[in-house]
Amino acid sequence: MQRDLVSSEMHGSLRVRVPAKINLSLAVGPPRPDGFHNLATVFQALSLYDTVTLRDRADGAGVRLTISGSQANQVPVDEKNLAWQAAELAAEQTTSKPDLDIDIEKGIPVAGGMAGGSADAAAVLLGCSALWDIDEDLAPLAAQLGSDVPFALVGGTAVGQGRGEQVASAMTRGKFHWVLALSDGELATPKVYAEIDRLRGDQPVLEPVIAEDVVRAVRTGDATALGAALTNDLQPAALSLMPALAALLELGPEHGALGSIISGSGPTCAFLVSDEEAALELTVALSASGLCRTVRQASAPVPGATVVSRDTPI
Ligand code: C5P
């Protein structure tokens, strides 16, 4: 709470690295009165990162946001960006207004269903708390910003409940290898949730439960079992809105993937493979297919948002 001490002569800066996520399982309940859906999910953080640099600005200068990297031009650089809102929320925990440069280098696919915007918000929360000596618990602030923001703080592998914001770390063994196929076009998360409700119609929908086979597979490091257990209730809705993804998913088993799944609300398709060699083979096949824009490889789990460098004046 000592932010009042930060004057224009005492500017600090720091850099935070934050990972992308996928949902290894995602069970979606019926719509709640507040419009959200209860979830039971297993998140995993992957080695695709955004790097967020924060620099204090002179008193009264306000927030300035710049974005670089692939598809940066699709990301808003004003208060619509969750990272900007995170800076405002962090400043509310102090007595000052936010005077901050936020520079985001995108390594997480933009609008891909890998929670890149939520990751940036988590990075700003963590960074501001370090820069401004905020000693609040960040998890409730993160939850206020979005359902996926708390997980980006925690990383690793975790069980998520509520609307996704109640996160508990899960035990894991070993390293999992992923191939991600990124598509052109966007699947807006609210539209995908609306589509699952539409597809379900009047069918009774049970409260979601955690996929125990997924939890067991990550705990024992069994990639074959995990591949068979991957599940996403949003997948039929994403496929209904973007049917071309079906052909892309089918390439996985044809080229050695242990499992294929749409990541979150899509449109990124995630393929679990046994090792780096298998990742390379599948990458070549997906790239040659012409069915996706680009292909990336990642390993998991990795830690959540982390301060990687800091430059604080004395
Ligand atoms: O929390 P977040 O801002 O990421 O949610 C974006 C939208 O996704 C919500 O407005 C809602 O339409 C949908 N959503 C949902 N149930 C959840 C999470 C998100 O219906 N558990």
Side-chain angles (χ1 to χ4, degrees), residues 81-139:
N81 193 305
L82 218 50
W84 185 299
Q85 295 166 30
E88 287 182 332
L89 187 60
E92 279 173 25
Q93 316 309 309
T94 76
T95 53
S96 311
K97 293 220 173 300
D99 297 312
L100 190 69
D101 260 329
I102 306 171
D103 177 53
I104 300 175
E105 207 182 305
K106 296 297 302 178
I108 302 176
V110 170
M114 301 188 77
S118 301
D120 297 342
V124 170
L125 269 188
L126 179 72
C128 288
S129 81
L131 209 52
W132 301 338
D133 287 335
I134 296 171
D135 49 20
E136 302 294 316
D137 180 7
L138 297 183

Side-chain angles (χ1 to χ4, degrees), residues 35-37 39 146-147 163 189-190 193:
F36 285 90
H37 297 70
L39 306 180
S147 308
R163 64 184 169 85
T189 305
Y193 277 98

Side-chain angles (χ1 to χ4, degrees), residues 30-248:
R32 308 190 316 198
D34 64 1
F36 285 90
H37 297 70
N38 276 338
L39 306 180
T41 187
V42 181
F43 294 110
Q44 188 161 71
L46 303 183
S47 63
L48 299 178
Y49 300 98
D50 282 0
T51 305
V52 179
T53 305
L54 304 180
R55 264 178 231 94
D56 278 316
R57 301 180 77 197
D59 288 352
V63 176
R64 185 171 56 189
L65 178 56
T66 49
I67 317 233
S68 59
S70 174
Q71 297 192 301
N73 58 349
Q74 293 183 22
V75 184
V77 288
D78 57 17
E79 64 281 354
K80 287 201 283 298
N81 193 305
L82 218 50
W84 185 299
Q85 295 166 30
E88 287 182 332
L89 187 60
E92 279 173 25
Q93 316 309 309
T94 76
T95 53
S96 311
K97 293 220 173 300
D99 297 312
L100 190 69
D101 260 329
I102 306 171
D103 177 53
I104 300 175
E105 207 182 305
K106 296 297 302 178
I108 302 176
V110 170
M114 301 188 77
S118 301
D120 297 342
V124 170
L125 269 188
L126 179 72
C128 288
S129 81
L131 209 52
W132 301 338
D133 287 335
I134 296 171
D135 49 20
E136 302 294 316
D137 180 7
L138 297 183
L141 300 179
Q144 233 174 291
L145 289 163
S147 308
D148 288 335
V149 183
F151 173 69
L153 287 173
V154 173
T157 304
V159 165
Q161 286 178 292
R163 64 184 169 85
E165 88 288 11
Q166 296 163 21
V167 173
S169 291
M171 296 248 295
T172 61
R173 179 189 288 257
K175 182 160 133 185
F176 295 96
H177 300 269
W178 292 95
V179 176
L180 294 315
L182 318 186
S183 290
D184 278 323
E186 188 181 347
L187 282 173
T189 305
K191 282 202 183 138
V192 179
Y193 277 98
E195 182 67 1
I196 192 177
D197 293 338
R198 191 188 70 79
L199 292 174
R200 284 169 165 177
D202 296 333
Q203 283 172 48
V205 179
L206 299 177
E207 279 303 316
V209 288
I210 294 293
E212 284 307 325
D213 47 355
V214 167
V215 174
R216 204 173 317 116
V218 291
R219 192 173 57 226
T220 54
D222 186 338
T224 305
L226 180 58
L230 297 171
T231 160
N232 180 0
D233 279 359
L234 292 179
Q235 187 156 310
L239 287 174
S240 161
L241 296 170
M242 212 182 262
L245 294 177
L248 191 53

